[in-house]
Amino acid sequence: MKVRFGCGALLGLVVGLGMCIILSLLRTMGACALVVFAIVGCGVSAAYFGDSFWANLRWLR
């Protein structure tokens, strides 16, 4: 469970930082909130859904 959350959190970090680069209009607090939301969202989803979470990420391929 911890490994699944950790891998999902790493994906969330990459996605969150990528979104911050694309949405460069955000201020510092907004960017931090976006990154934290992406980390927690991807981490919890990966931990709860497991392999089906990773299988449904078609854009990652």
Side-chain angles (χ1 to χ4, degrees):
M1 190 67 99
K2 291 178 185 178
V3 172
R4 287 182 181 181
F5 181 83
C7 292
L10 286 175
L11 174 68
L13 178 66
V14 171
V15 169
L17 290 177
M19 288 173 55
C20 284
I21 291 171
I22 292 172
L23 302 171
S24 61
L25 300 174
L26 293 176
R27 302 218 186 257
T28 304
M29 290 302 290
C32 290
L34 179 69
V35 171
V36 168
F37 181 74
I39 289 172
V40 171
C42 288
V44 169
S45 296
Y48 183 73
F49 295 111
D51 289 336
S52 63
F53 170 76
W54 298 105
N56 289 320
L57 293 178
R58 290 181 176 84
W59 58 269
L60 191 60
R61 295 180 192 171

